Amino acid sequence: MKTDPESFIRANTGLMAPPHVPEIRLHLASEAHELWLKTEEELEEIGLPPPFWAFAWAGGQGLARYVLDHPETVAGKRVLDFASGSGLVAIAAMLAGASHALAADIDPWAKTAVRLNAAANGVALGFTGDDLVGQGVDADVILAGDVFYDRDFAARLVPWFRHLAAQGRLVLVGDPGRAYLPKDRLRAEATYQVPVTRALEDSEVKKTTVWRFLAG
């Protein structure tokens, strides 16, 4: 890496609570517009992929809220937080009583963000940078916040999630109405109005639903 991730994260974020999950504090970009809208050339110069880990996206906030409000979903269970970003959902799972939570994200910068955020909330998280899509997982519950924003990515995720659900695992996704959310074999578990950063979204509040993937 051209830039030390921990130094960059500490210099370009503040420790703050996402509005829909005030129990948790994360290192988030205080100037969302500036950090997110850096040009690709600027990001490449410092070796930084798009910093998804620096923002509390609506899907993740809604899913974390659901886990905290329904701790029986994860209590005593092994949890995988897929495409974890900041680690928000994995942290919520541990606070709700999960026996173990693994944050998975292919962005190498997310590893540092997850470590710093876990420490800020007094929880221990595992981390993997492996691409787990299509693989077997050692988890009872799979949580994924805001993952249906890209057509090709969604096409890979849907059969994997359905396969995991068919194995008897609980698969929950938090989604604020992204274009590529599958429309069938889902059951709505809860809906929230989640405050978000207008610099990144088309509104200041996103209707966010927690969906359960059904087997079959």
Side-chain angles (χ1 to χ4, degrees), residues 108-196:
W109 284 66
K111 181 177 182 179
T112 302
V114 167
R115 174 173 58 81
L116 293 174
N117 290 331
N121 291 278
V123 301
L125 299 177
F127 182 87
T128 180
D130 295 342
D131 182 356
L132 300 181
V133 179
Q135 305 300 312
V137 299
D138 184 23
D140 308 300
V141 180
I142 294 85
L143 304 174
D146 221 334
V147 291
F148 292 109
Y149 51 84
D150 177 82
R151 182 192 300 272
D152 293 339
F153 191 38
R156 295 181 63 211
L157 288 182
V158 172
W160 182 49
F161 284 165
R162 288 185 175 148
H163 177 68
L164 293 172
Q167 292 179 329
R169 306 176 197 272
L170 176 62
V171 181
L172 296 176
V173 300
D175 188 85
R178 301 300 184 203
Y180 303 109
L181 176 77
K183 303 301 183 186
D184 59 331
R185 294 200 287 275
L186 294 177
R187 185 176 74 206
E189 300 290 338
T191 300
Y192 304 102
Q193 299 294 328
V194 180
V196 292

Side-chain angles (χ1 to χ4, degrees), residues 16-189:
M16 59 189 79
H20 207 61
V21 198
E23 303 94 323
I24 293 174
R25 295 195 303 163
L26 302 172
H27 289 84
L28 300 176
S30 52
E31 292 295 334
H33 195 272
E34 178 182 348
L35 182 57
W36 187 250
L37 294 184
K38 283 182 180 293
T39 65
E40 290 186 14
E41 290 78 12
E42 289 176 302
L43 294 174
E44 184 176 345
E45 186 174 330
I46 61 176
L48 175 66
F52 289 100
W53 48 264
F55 307 98
W57 300 88
Q61 286 197 63
L63 190 53
R65 179 76 268 149
Y66 181 82
V67 167
L68 290 170
D69 289 348
H70 301 86
E72 69 281 359
T73 303
V74 298
K77 298 176 182 176
R78 300 163 300 159
V79 173
L80 169 65
D81 175 18
F82 175 75
S84 183
S86 67
L88 168 60
V89 177
I91 291 167
M94 289 303 295
L95 293 177
S99 61
H100 179 263
L102 178 66
D105 202 298
I106 60 172
D107 179 357
W109 284 66
K111 181 177 182 179
T112 302
V114 167
R115 174 173 58 81
L116 293 174
N117 290 331
N121 291 278
V123 301
L125 299 177
F127 182 87
T128 180
D130 295 342
D131 182 356
L132 300 181
V133 179
Q135 305 300 312
V137 299
D138 184 23
D140 308 300
V141 180
I142 294 85
L143 304 174
D146 221 334
V147 291
F148 292 109
Y149 51 84
D150 177 82
R151 182 192 300 272
D152 293 339
F153 191 38
R156 295 181 63 211
L157 288 182
V158 172
W160 182 49
F161 284 165
R162 288 185 175 148
H163 177 68
L164 293 172
Q167 292 179 329
R169 306 176 197 272
L170 176 62
V171 181
L172 296 176
V173 300
D175 188 85
R178 301 300 184 203
Y180 303 109
L181 176 77
K183 303 301 183 186
D184 59 331
R185 294 200 287 275
L186 294 177
R187 185 176 74 206
E189 300 290 338

